[in-house]
Amino acid sequence: MSQLTFILYACVNFTILFCVSAHNLIHKSNNDNNDRYNYYLPAYAVASEASSLLNSTLCEEELLNFRNAVDQRILWSLRVLDSSGEFQSGFLYGNNYWLGSRIQCFDTMNTASLQISKRHLLNNTLYRDLQKEIPPFKVNYFAAHFKHNSTLQYHINVPNEDVMTLGLCLPASCSANDISFILEKIFRDRIFLISDLYSVDFKLIQVKNLKNDYEWLTSGAIFICVILLLSIFMVIIGTIYDIFVNRKCSNKKSRINNKHCIIISMYINYLLKILNCDLDEETVIQEMEIETASLKKSRIGKILLCFSVFTNTKIIFNTELHANTLPVIHGLKFLSTFCLIIGHGVVYMIEYIDNKVWSWKFMTDVILINVPVTVDTFFFLSGLLVSYIYIKNKTDKDQKQLFSYRAKINEFFIFVIRRFIRLTPAYMTVLAISQLSSTWFDKTSPFFIKEVPHETCSKYWWRNLFYINNLFSFKTMLESTYKIFKFFFLLKCMSWSWYLSADMQFFMIGIALLILSTIYFHMAAFILGTLLISSIVLIGYFSYIYEFVPTLDEQYRLLDELYFPPWLRISPYIIGIITGYILTQLNGKLNLKKRTVILCWCFSSACNIITLLSLYDRLKVSILASAIYMSLHRVFWAVGIAWIVIACATQHGGIVYQILSFKGWVPFSRLTYSAYLLNPIIVHSLRLQSEKSVHFEFLPMLTLCTGYFVFIYICSYVLSLIAEAPYILLMRETMQANNRRKM
């Protein structure tokens, strides 16, 4: 009996000991699982740390509810957790985006059932119990930006490449400050697995609540919207007026006697002459005065016609060119714009690419490093057109005009004012759009925005208005609000608009020298040559003292020193002025032997090829060789383009002339200015509204950039109708009225 009692006692104790051990193992297993969630899942880690940081707030309560629901595998909590970002592969190659899904986060509160058949709906475990599927509280999507200091990640030395973005789907009762407080604690305790795996620490920059509360409208956005809507309203009214007048013109019997029809036809022919560079404004105005002397036109009607979509579209898409124009200009502008947009598409998308290192290896050798030569092409074409049109018009006019210094000074200011009015309306419109879109995306985009026009343009818009923004520093290191570290910001408003300022400054220099050449030709030629040689010497000198090697990271480092200063970029413009003068002297005729023409083509091709490929292996180039290259590569490129223009203008172009003079390029060429203004805004906007980063692959990227090109030109057409063509016509009408009063 005693033995049986002992056996029963032993069995009971063993059973109790086994149950206690099992309970401890289960509890330990649960704790290990929870620790594992903390280790891998940032949203769960935030919820787990809430109790020790927040003081009995609704945010704390809902975060703990979320954590407990995850522990119990309740469906709504798993959906919320699945919407948050987590550690992604590719960190060593530059994947700093743990974004999750904002759309999925907000969709967790959507009570509408999936639109599929009932048979499948009943068998779908996701739609059996709405109480377990829908969160018991509202959720919101937060974006946390923080810097890492990992030395294991490959760095390509571009701005803010160590900034990471984490998307978090959390209770809407939590504020950005609450999430910031918790994340700082998590970063200090190095809870995340990646902290130990890659020996990395994190420093928080900011947490953004991406709920759109429309507060951005109170920061001056309403005023911008009103101005843009007024411009669109003027276009609508002008189009209605134009169509109404055109209906009268459709009657052949009344067309001759209808003064409105004469006005429309006259305006179209007038602007076409200007756009095709046939005549200068004064000559066309004199012709119009003769044609319209007998007409008493309505001033309001003339203003409305300037805003007509119908009239301006006919002007833009008209492909007829005057005999004295240079048709190859349109082809060069279109091809340069295409290359520029593709290059900008890649350059501006580098901020959103999650495999930066691989894309860098693929792109830097040929593509990105040579994008700036397209800008030099535009400088060359601008200088060419200024000199060609000015000298051509002066040659065609009566040379017996009396000389006067005051007249020459007035001529200079008239040219500058016309140029200002030609460029500024579209420029300021795009600046307003840039500021508006930046304000919007600053509140709604999860990405870290490097260029912040809503801050810079509100402070420095006057630099853009007076075309001097390229004379100020491009980049700056601003301290974050947390005073922990510094990060890179672009200080310019519309950073790509440096080109417009440089072009305006070059125009003023060029037109001043052209006017001077009508009095003292040799002095003007000497000054022009001195400027060219000085620019070549200066860029070589600065390149050498800054120890520049032409890689893309070095270009970023020395933007203010070597890329933007106008005195270092003027050489292609001067080559363009010289080329324009040569064309006017040749007058379309250049008698050369076939062998000489072939040698010239070989020399031109060599200049362009040397510029593009001479520094293929850039890391092996010495500082001295790099300085020589920087001194001469823009001149070589411009000389190569100059021969193409001269050959095509003197019937030595062959197939190159046939390609570049294709009439289909003409409408695209007329939209080049608007396309240049808009392309970075569109690239940034299409990426900032996305909730995913970009994974670089050649064919998908090429397709994407081609799509950008098409969309940019559609938007350019709209911008031209609203803010470019109407103001050109208004300027011409004002000049005509002034000349008529003088007479």
Side-chain angles (χ1 to χ4, degrees):
M1 187 68 179
S2 61
Q3 292 179 350
L4 180 62
T5 302
F6 176 77
I7 291 172
L8 291 174
Y9 179 77
C11 289
V12 169
N13 287 330
F14 179 77
T15 302
I16 294 173
L17 180 62
F18 177 79
C19 292
V20 171
S21 299
H23 179 268
N24 290 335
L25 287 173
I26 293 172
H27 182 69
K28 181 178 180 181
S29 177
N30 289 335
N31 288 337
D32 290 343
N33 286 334
N34 294 344
D35 291 340
R36 190 177 298 113
Y37 297 150
N38 278 340
Y39 224 38
Y40 289 104
L41 304 175
Y44 187 88
V46 170
S48 299
E49 295 293 330
S51 59
S52 61
L53 297 175
L54 305 176
N55 298 320
S56 299
T57 62
L58 180 61
C59 174
E60 176 194 0
E61 180 182 342
E62 292 179 348
L63 284 174
L64 294 177
N65 187 8
F66 167 54
R67 185 196 65 183
N68 294 332
V70 172
D71 293 340
Q72 300 173 34
R73 309 298 191 273
I74 299 176
L75 181 57
W76 68 262
S77 65
L78 298 180
R79 294 180 66 201
V80 172
L81 186 66
D82 188 52
S83 302
S84 297
E86 57 186 80
F87 313 134
Q88 299 293 318
S89 62
F91 172 76
L92 296 182
Y93 269 56
N95 186 1
N96 293 337
Y97 304 101
W98 308 339
L99 295 173
S101 175
R102 177 173 51 180
I103 295 175
Q104 182 177 321
C105 178
F106 290 124
D107 193 62
T108 58
M109 298 180 289
N110 186 3
T111 58
S113 61
L114 189 64
Q115 297 300 310
I116 59 176
S117 64
K118 292 184 178 180
R119 177 170 60 87
H120 291 95
L121 189 64
L122 293 175
N123 293 327
N124 194 325
T125 57
L126 294 178
Y127 298 93
R128 287 185 176 178
D129 188 351
L130 290 179
Q131 291 183 351
K132 293 183 179 180
E133 183 186 349
I134 307 300
F137 47 77
K138 292 184 178 181
V139 296
N140 199 9
Y141 185 82
F142 298 86
H145 299 130
F146 49 93
K147 294 191 71 172
H148 74 81
N149 63 353
S150 174
T151 58
L152 298 179
Q153 185 181 75
Y154 291 99
H155 293 292
I156 54 179
N157 297 320
V158 294
N160 300 326
E161 61 179 335
D162 54 353
V163 174
M164 307 191 68
T165 301
L166 170 64
L168 294 170
C169 186
L170 296 171
S173 60
C174 296
S175 66
N177 289 334
D178 295 332
I179 307 302
S180 299
F181 195 48
I182 296 173
L183 284 176
E184 287 180 334
K185 172 66 163 54
I186 291 173
F187 292 159
R188 283 197 304 269
D189 295 342
R190 296 172 59 89
I191 292 176
F192 293 155
L193 172 65
I194 194 174
S195 296
D196 292 330
L197 186 62
Y198 295 129
S199 301
V200 57
D201 292 311
F202 301 114
K203 296 293 184 180
L204 186 67
I205 299 174
Q206 64 177 354
V207 174
K208 295 197 316 186
N209 186 335
L210 299 186
K211 180 180 179 181
N212 184 16
D213 52 10
Y214 299 99
E215 290 184 359
W216 58 276
L217 288 172
T218 61
S219 59
I222 293 180
F223 175 75
I224 295 175
C225 291
V226 170
I227 298 299
L228 294 176
L229 289 175
L230 285 176
S231 299
I232 296 172
F233 177 76
M234 286 295 298
V235 171
I236 294 173
I237 296 299
T239 304
I240 293 174
Y241 176 80
D242 195 1
I243 293 175
F244 176 75
V245 173
N246 276 333
R247 287 179 181 176
K248 293 182 180 180
C249 296
S250 62
N251 188 345
K252 294 183 180 180
K253 294 182 180 180
S254 63
R255 185 176 299 169
I256 297 177
N257 297 324
N258 193 328
K259 66 179 182 180
H260 296 290
C261 300
I262 299 174
I263 295 171
I264 294 172
S265 177
M266 178 179 59
Y267 267 90
I268 293 174
N269 293 330
Y270 167 47
L271 188 58
L272 282 174
K273 288 181 179 180
I274 298 298
L275 291 176
N276 293 335
C277 307
D278 300 346
L279 300 171
D280 67 343
E281 291 88 341
E282 295 179 359
T283 304
V284 178
I285 289 172
Q286 293 173 2
E287 293 180 2
M288 291 184 64
E289 289 173 351
I290 296 173
E291 295 176 4
T292 61
S294 61
L295 295 177
K296 296 181 179 179
K297 296 174 286 185
S298 168
R299 182 176 296 274
I300 296 178
K302 289 185 290 185
I303 293 175
L304 291 177
L305 280 176
C306 294
F307 288 87
S308 169
V309 171
F310 181 74
T311 300
N312 290 327
T313 299
K314 289 179 68 176
I315 294 169
I316 292 172
F317 287 95
N318 187 288
T319 59
E320 296 298 324
L321 301 176
H322 193 271
N324 291 331
T325 59
L326 300 172
V328 296
I329 298 296
H330 297 290
L332 287 171
K333 287 175 66 177
F334 168 75
L335 294 177
S336 298
T337 304
F338 177 79
C339 295
L340 184 69
I341 290 176
I342 297 298
H344 274 183
V346 177
V347 169
Y348 286 109
M349 251 194 297
I350 200 71
E351 301 177 33
Y352 316 103
I353 291 177
D354 58 21
N355 56 338
K356 291 183 176 65
V357 175
W358 187 88
S359 62
W360 210 255
K361 291 180 178 180
F362 183 85
M363 294 183 297
T364 50
D365 286 336
V366 178
I367 300 176
L368 287 182
I369 202 70
N370 291 315
V371 168
V373 298
T374 59
V375 179
D376 295 322
T377 304
F378 283 116
F379 281 138
F380 167 82
L381 294 176
S382 183
L384 166 68
L385 290 175
V386 168
S387 63
Y388 180 78
I389 295 172
Y390 181 86
I391 298 173
K392 196 76 174 176
N393 291 333
K394 286 296 181 182
T395 303
D396 295 339
K397 286 185 177 181
D398 185 10
Q399 298 298 323
K400 296 182 180 180
Q401 295 179 355
L402 295 177
F403 166 75
S404 169
Y405 283 109
R406 182 175 181 180
K408 296 298 182 182
I409 294 174
N410 289 339
E411 182 183 10
F412 170 78
F413 282 108
I414 289 172
F415 272 108
V416 172
I417 291 171
R418 289 176 185 171
R419 183 75 171 179
F420 180 85
I421 297 174
R422 164 71 179 85
L423 299 179
T424 305
Y427 187 13
M428 292 297 106
T429 299
V430 174
L431 188 148
I433 294 173
S434 175
Q435 185 173 349
L436 186 65
S437 64
S438 176
T439 304
W440 163 266
F441 287 121
D442 182 61
K443 301 295 183 182
T444 60
S445 176
F447 291 96
F448 184 77
I449 301 176
K450 179 178 70 175
E451 189 166 354
V452 283
H454 62 284
E455 296 180 4
T456 55
C457 291
S458 61
K459 295 179 181 178
Y460 306 119
W461 59 268
W462 54 273
R463 297 178 181 177
N464 298 67
L465 179 63
F466 294 109
Y467 295 91
I468 57 173
N469 62 317
N470 63 329
L471 303 179
F472 296 87
S473 176
F474 174 74
K475 57 188 179 181
T476 185
M477 300 295 289
L478 299 179
E479 292 188 6
S480 73
T481 55
Y482 296 94
K483 305 298 182 183
I484 297 175
F485 55 90
K486 297 180 178 181
F487 50 92
F488 182 91
F489 267 111
L490 301 188
L491 193 59
K492 286 184 183 293
C493 170
M494 291 177 59
S495 58
W496 62 97
S497 65
W498 70 269
Y499 166 81
L500 301 179
S501 297
D503 186 70
M504 175 64 83
Q505 293 156 11
F506 297 163
F507 174 82
M508 295 174 67
I509 294 172
I511 203 68
L513 290 177
L514 287 169
I515 293 173
L516 179 63
S517 69
T518 61
I519 312 170
Y520 306 107
F521 177 81
H522 293 92
M523 179 183 294
F526 175 77
I527 295 174
L528 194 68
T530 302
L531 288 174
L532 177 60
I533 296 173
S534 299
S535 177
I536 293 173
V537 173
L538 278 176
I539 191 170
Y541 171 74
F542 286 127
S543 175
Y544 185 79
I545 64 172
Y546 286 113
E547 300 182 350
F548 173 76
V549 176
T551 57
L552 197 56
D553 60 306
E554 284 290 282
Q555 288 187 6
Y556 270 112
R557 181 177 70 90
L558 297 172
L559 283 173
D560 288 330
E561 292 79 12
L562 294 179
Y563 191 78
F564 292 119
W567 46 87
L568 303 182
R569 301 303 300 261
I570 197 172
S571 54
Y573 197 93
I574 294 175
I575 300 297
I577 292 176
I578 296 171
T579 305
Y581 172 77
I582 293 173
L583 287 174
T584 57
Q585 302 304 306
L586 293 175
N587 198 23
K589 298 178 181 179
L590 181 60
N591 297 321
L592 293 176
K593 295 181 180 180
K594 186 175 181 180
R595 181 180 299 178
T596 305
V597 172
I598 294 174
L599 289 176
C600 289
W601 273 108
C602 291
F603 176 74
S604 170
S605 301
C607 287
N608 295 138
I609 293 173
I610 288 173
T611 301
L612 295 177
L613 302 178
S614 61
L615 296 182
Y616 183 81
D617 192 357
R618 301 168 192 276
L619 296 179
K620 296 181 180 180
V621 176
S622 67
I623 295 176
L624 179 60
S626 176
I628 296 173
Y629 170 80
M630 291 298 294
S631 295
L632 300 175
H633 80 284
R634 293 191 178 107
V635 176
F636 280 5
W637 179 262
V639 169
I641 301 298
W643 167 250
I644 294 175
V645 175
I646 293 173
C648 292
T650 55
Q651 301 180 357
H652 295 296
I655 190 173
V656 175
Y657 173 78
Q658 296 177 10
I659 294 173
L660 295 179
S661 61
F662 173 57
K663 291 186 177 181
W665 306 140
V666 176
F668 293 99
S669 173
R670 290 179 179 145
L671 296 174
T672 296
Y673 177 56
S674 296
Y676 182 83
L677 286 172
L678 285 174
N679 78 90
I681 296 177
I682 292 175
V683 172
H684 277 305
S685 298
L686 292 177
R687 295 315 319 162
L688 287 172
Q689 61 83 34
S690 176
E691 65 171 20
K692 295 296 181 182
S693 56
V694 179
H695 191 75
F696 182 89
E697 296 174 282
F698 176 69
L699 287 180
M701 182 64 69
L702 181 61
T703 304
L704 182 62
C705 290
T706 304
Y708 284 159
F709 178 81
V710 175
F711 187 66
I712 285 167
Y713 260 95
I714 293 173
C715 295
S716 301
Y717 166 68
V718 176
L719 176 64
S720 182
L721 293 179
I722 295 175
E724 186 178 4
Y727 294 99
I728 295 175
L729 285 174
L730 283 174
M731 178 182 66
R732 311 306 187 216
E733 172 57 30
T734 303
M735 291 167 53
Q736 177 193 1
N738 291 336
N739 287 344
R740 189 164 53 246
R741 282 196 298 267
K742 292 179 181 179
M743 295 178 63

